[in-house]
């Protein structure tokens, strides 16, 4: 998360969290996200817009302008750590994690830095090959290799434990703790890599329990050059260089002045680089060694597995929630298609498309409710709705909603086919036939049989999620829906009424009888209506 640290000429400062991709800065609270109270600040002075991992700072035709490095600019890209001024305010962009924050600089990688591959065995194995005749040296290297294997075995055991942790924040915390146990690091950070926005984001910054955190001021200043190289080249890097690091001259942070050595290794997942592990030491005593780098590389290998597992677990959990929601009104095969290609669903703002709409309801059910036992009424409804829903799903239909003693179903939403009307009529016939079997079961409990009427129409509707942020339902709206509902209302028990548009689509596949004299309330242009003979 980014924020702005704002300081005025009197030394007063405050922080402003950036919680959306673009913000405006100005004097007027009604027109600006960040308000700077000064007459030298325009009503709308400047804007900040996220762009490729940085922020585009733009002057909104202000009177007094914006300044970067004491030069007035109309617009420029700034990143974490950069400062700019507006009137008598100095603003610094900061990348935050909790109470700690990260700034970046462009210090080049110096001759004091080394990079190596991510295998912890390669270096020792290469050394063994170089000294085949030096027995003492070879024994020493073999001993080191054996120690390295023992360390890897411990890491493997730890990795098995870590693989059962699926909370990503807990994973990061466990990894940082292990870094402190296996290396002499004083500060450690987990940074994730946003490949789409080309952004390295801090996820956790931690300090060794014995480290004087007051000296650090909760601040890490990272070289963007180093993190980019580690990510791009997938190499581990160690540096003992302070001569070329501009942090050496940062008068406001004693801790940064005394950074002596650092390590940075990539988190290489199954599909991509997930981020980096960064660790450093202050002062000149006991700098990091290549052995420390190998250990951190081994930690990163286990970390990547754990992070991949956590992401996969989270994705599965989200899919399970989505599947449970979709399965309420969609057949399983359609749910599978949606989860495989969610971008192709095309729902949200509403889509206009041709859909076949089916309404079905129990006839004269109000009379039954008035005379019947409430428990029996609930039992009948549950049996009826459950049976009819299974039939709708079997014919590729979408359950739109339950309507008390009936239901509404869509054929052709969210996915269309040339069989939608055919499937709808077949589903209606199956519903009527299945009701006969259901009534036989109800009669065995002494319950009177029930009858349903069904109305089907095809036409253009608007489909999508409709509702509020608290509750949304997938449904269809349009005149075609209203006509299907009117046909259901005019149908008698055991009757299926369809519109002319449905009959044309089914290509004489069903036996039909014309029906006249229906009172279709609210329908001005009444089409030809047919009864399906089954």
């Amino acid at each position: 998360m980014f924020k702005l640290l704002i300081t005025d000429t009197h030394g007063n400062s405050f922080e402003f969290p950036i919680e959306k991709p673009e913000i405006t800065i100005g004097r007027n609270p009604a027109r600006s996200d960040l308000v700077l109270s000064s007459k030298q600040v325009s009503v709308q002075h400047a804007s900040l817009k996220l762009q490729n991992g940085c922020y585009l700072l733009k002057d909104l035709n202000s009177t007094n302008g914006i300044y970067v490095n004491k030069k007035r600019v109309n617009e420029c890209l700034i990143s974490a750590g950069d400062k700019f001024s507006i009137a008598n305010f100095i603003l610094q962009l900061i990348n935050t994690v909790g109470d700690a924050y990260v700034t970046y600089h462009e210090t080049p990688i110096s001759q004091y830095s080394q990079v190596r591959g991510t295998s912890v065995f390669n270096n020792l194995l290469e050394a063994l090959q170089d000294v085949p005749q030096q027995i003492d040296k070879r024994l020493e290297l073999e001993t080191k290799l054996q120690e390295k294997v023992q360390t890897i075995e411990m890491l493997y055991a730890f990795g098995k434990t870590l693989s059962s942790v699926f909370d990503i924040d807990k994973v990061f915390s466990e990894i940082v703790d292990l870094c402190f146990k296996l290396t002499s690091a004083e500060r450690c950070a987990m940074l994730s890599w946003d490949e789409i926005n080309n952004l390295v984001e801090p996820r956790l910054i931690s300090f060794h329990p014995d480290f004087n955190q007051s000296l650090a001021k909760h601040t890490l200043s990272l070289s963007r050059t180093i993190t980019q190289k580690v990510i791009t080249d997938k190499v581990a890097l160690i540096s003992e260089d302070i001569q070329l690091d501009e942090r050496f001259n940062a008068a406001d942070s004693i801790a940064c002045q005394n950074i002596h050595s650092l390590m940075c290794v990539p988190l290489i997942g199954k599909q991509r680089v997930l981020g980096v592990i960064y660790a450093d030491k202050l002062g000149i005593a006991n700098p990091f060694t290549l052995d420390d780098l190998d250990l951190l590389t081994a930690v990163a290998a286990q970390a990547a597995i754990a992070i991949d597992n956590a992401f996969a677990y989270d994705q599965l959990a989200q899919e399970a929630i989505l599947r449970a929601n979709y399965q309420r009104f969609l057949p399983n095969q359609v749910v599978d298609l949606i989860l495989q290609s969610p971008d192709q669903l095309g729902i949200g703002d509403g889509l206009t498309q041709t859909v076949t709409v089916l309404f079905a309801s129990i006839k004269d059910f109000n009379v039954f409710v008035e005379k019947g036992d409430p428990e029996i009424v609930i039992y009948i409804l549950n049996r009826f709705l459950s049976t009819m829903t299974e039939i709708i799903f079997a014919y590729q239909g979408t359950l739109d909603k339950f309507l008390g003693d009936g239901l509404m179903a869509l054929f052709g939403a969210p996915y269309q086919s040339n069989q939608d009307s055919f499937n709808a009529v077949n589903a209606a016939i199956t519903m009527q036939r299945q009701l006969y079997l259901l009534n036989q079961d109800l009669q065995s409990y002494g319950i009177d049989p029930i009858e349903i009427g069904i109305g089907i129409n095809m036409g253009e509707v608007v489909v999508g999620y409709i509702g509020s942020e608290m509750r949304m339902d997938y449904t269809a709206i349009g005149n075609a829906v209203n006509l299907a509902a009117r046909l259901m209302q005019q149908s008698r028990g055991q009757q299926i009424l369809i519109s002319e548009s449905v009959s044309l689509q089914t290509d004489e596949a069903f036996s039909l009888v014309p029906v006249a004299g229906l009172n279709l309330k609210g329908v001005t242009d009444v089409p030809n209506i047919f009864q399906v003979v089954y």
Side-chain angles (χ1 to χ4, degrees), residues 99 124 164 169 176 179 187 270 353 372 405 419:
D99 295 329
L124 283 174
S164 63
D169 292 327
V176 168
C179 290
R187 306 189 303 181
K270 294 179 181 178
Q353 64 189 59
D405 57 358
Q419 297 292 310

Side-chain angles (χ1 to χ4, degrees), residues 228-471:
Q228 287 291 344
K229 181 174 181 60
V230 169
I231 290 171
T232 303
D233 296 346
K234 299 180 181 178
V235 294
L237 183 145
I238 184 172
S239 175
E240 300 177 6
D241 174 36
I242 58 174
Q243 301 300 320
L244 294 180
D245 195 333
E246 65 182 17
R247 293 172 299 182
F248 184 78
N249 297 317
D252 61 342
S253 177
I254 297 175
C256 285
Q257 292 176 6
N258 290 322
I259 291 179
H260 181 65
S261 59
L262 64 85
M263 297 185 293
C264 189
V265 299
L267 296 162
I268 303 175
K270 294 179 181 178
Q271 304 295 332
R272 62 182 182 87
V273 177
L274 304 171
V276 300
I277 302 178
Y278 169 89
D280 67 17
K281 290 173 59 69
L282 308 184
I284 61 175
N286 301 319
F288 290 130
T289 66
L290 290 177
D291 285 341
D292 290 319
L293 185 65
D294 285 340
L295 285 174
L296 193 62
T297 301
V299 171
Q302 298 296 337
I305 295 173
I307 294 171
D308 264 337
N309 287 342
F311 284 152
Y313 179 84
D314 185 60
Q315 182 178 1
L316 289 173
Q318 293 184 27
E319 286 187 1
I321 294 173
L322 289 174
R323 181 176 291 277
N325 290 333
Y326 286 137
Q327 281 179 332
R328 292 187 298 111
F329 52 86
L330 293 171
N332 286 329
Q333 56 269 33
V334 176
V335 174
D336 291 337
L337 288 173
I338 291 174
L339 294 179
Q340 290 171 12
S341 305
D343 295 337
Q344 297 181 12
L345 185 58
I347 57 178
D349 296 331
L351 293 175
T352 300
Q353 64 189 59
T354 300
V355 172
T356 302
V357 186
L358 180 151
F359 280 88
S361 70
I362 301 174
K363 291 300 177 179
D364 300 322
F365 196 65
N366 290 337
V367 177
F368 188 90
V369 171
E370 292 175 359
K371 297 181 179 180
D373 185 292
E375 292 184 0
I376 295 178
V377 171
I378 295 298
Y379 174 77
I380 293 173
L381 281 177
N382 286 335
R383 288 290 309 277
F384 165 72
L385 294 174
S386 176
T387 302
M388 299 303 121
T389 299
E390 291 178 4
I391 294 171
I392 290 169
F393 287 172
Y395 285 95
Q396 309 301 306
T398 298
L399 177 64
D400 184 290
K401 60 176 68 72
F402 292 130
L403 302 168
D405 57 358
L407 55 84
M408 171 183 169
L410 306 176
F411 294 80
Y415 296 108
Q416 294 177 289
S417 77
N418 56 8
Q419 297 292 310
D420 293 333
S421 291
F422 183 82
N423 288 337
V425 176
N426 267 328
I429 294 172
T430 305
M431 291 165 71
Q432 294 285 12
R433 290 173 175 170
Q434 191 66 32
L435 187 63
Y436 173 78
L437 299 177
L438 177 60
N439 279 328
Q440 286 185 324
D441 185 42
L442 294 177
Q443 286 180 318
S444 67
Y445 291 93
I447 301 174
D448 293 336
I450 59 176
E451 293 182 340
I452 62 173
I454 299 175
I456 306 174
N457 181 42
M458 187 198 77
E460 197 171 77
V461 299
V462 177
V463 293
Y465 278 105
I466 296 175
S468 67
E469 293 183 359
M470 299 294 294
R471 168 71 182 272

